[in-house]
Amino acid sequence: MSTAYSFFKPSCSIMKRALLLCLLMSGQSCFAITELAPYDLQVFVEKSAAGFKVQASYIAPVSQCEAYTFLTDYEDVKTIPGIVESKVRRRNGNRVTVERLIEERILLFPVQIRSEVEFTELPNQGINFIQTKGDSKAYSGTWRLQPNEKGVTVRYASIIEPDSIIPSGVIEYFMRNNIRRSFEMMAEGMERNRDSLSLACR
């Protein structure tokens, strides 16, 4: 997931329904999703004045190099839900600009997200990222890798300021119901592709 999640610009035709759903939904300022199995996965989302802060961590049974190779394979993102296109547009030293198209469905509403994200690579340690243009007002964060006795702890942190046209309750619903599975699928992808990742690290 060198991913990343940029949020959200729907068509105006769905906004009345979205606003109605927002009124019907309870508003919580933050919530945690902390089921520890599998991969000791923990996800925490905090609602702030401008948007959301997201923190997540999981333990993958791979090496630090293998996890880094997985995160920096920007164009092979089949394990990341919603990403339908991901193209590297520029490379300059340890900086990589990636253009992405994400398609999601939130409460039956189709949502299409375009973004250009600049990744700053820290070999085998992680990556920093920031949206340089796209459908979110702001999106930035980090991935960090720390080896342990089970493999590697993968830590993600981001700040997301969505386009103001989207009710925050709708985005919160998406995070509450979808984001945990996205991180779980990333951990599964690291484990499943360990042989090929290991070859790349030799």
Side-chain angles (χ1 to χ4, degrees), residues 34-202:
T34 56
E35 299 173 38
L36 295 182
Y39 304 108
D40 292 337
L41 174 61
Q42 300 183 63
V43 181
F44 182 78
V45 180
E46 180 182 0
K47 191 174 176 181
S48 64
F52 296 87
K53 295 180 181 179
V54 181
Q55 292 183 315
S57 68
Y58 60 85
I59 297 175
V62 298
S63 71
Q64 196 169 4
C65 175
E66 290 162 357
Y68 178 77
T69 299
F70 181 91
L71 291 177
T72 55
D73 191 356
Y74 304 106
E75 295 191 344
D76 186 13
V77 290
K78 293 185 285 292
T79 60
I80 303 175
I83 296 182
V84 295
E85 291 180 16
S86 184
K87 298 291 184 184
V88 172
R89 295 305 184 193
R90 292 183 295 280
R91 288 186 180 270
N92 182 16
N94 68 331
R95 295 189 176 185
V96 183
T97 300
V98 179
E99 185 177 298
R100 284 187 169 161
L101 170 63
I102 299 173
E103 293 180 354
E104 288 286 359
R105 187 168 291 272
I106 307 176
L107 297 173
L108 303 180
F109 306 138
V111 176
Q112 191 175 83
I113 310 134
R114 293 186 181 276
S115 65
E116 187 175 277
V117 179
E118 182 181 88
F119 296 90
T120 301
E121 299 178 340
L122 310 172
N124 292 335
Q125 302 298 314
I127 49 179
N128 301 333
F129 59 86
I130 186 168
Q131 178 186 275
T132 53
K133 61 182 179 181
D135 291 337
S136 297
K137 285 186 177 179
Y139 173 54
S140 62
T142 62
W143 289 94
R144 290 294 182 267
L145 304 172
Q146 182 177 359
N148 59 51
E149 67 279 1
K150 295 181 180 179
V152 64
T153 299
V154 182
R155 300 188 187 279
Y156 169 90
S158 69
I159 299 174
I160 303 164
E161 185 179 349
D163 190 294
S164 59
I165 195 172
I166 306 297
S168 61
V170 174
I171 300 173
E172 184 172 336
Y173 178 91
F174 172 84
M175 291 184 172
R176 185 190 299 273
N177 291 277
N178 295 74
I179 198 167
R180 184 182 189 280
R181 180 55 182 158
S182 297
F183 286 109
E184 188 174 308
M185 289 181 70
M186 289 193 68
E188 291 172 352
M190 286 185 179
E191 182 175 22
R192 183 172 58 252
N193 293 291
R194 185 171 187 179
D195 289 345
S196 59
L197 295 171
S198 178
L199 286 173
C201 288
R202 290 179 183 174

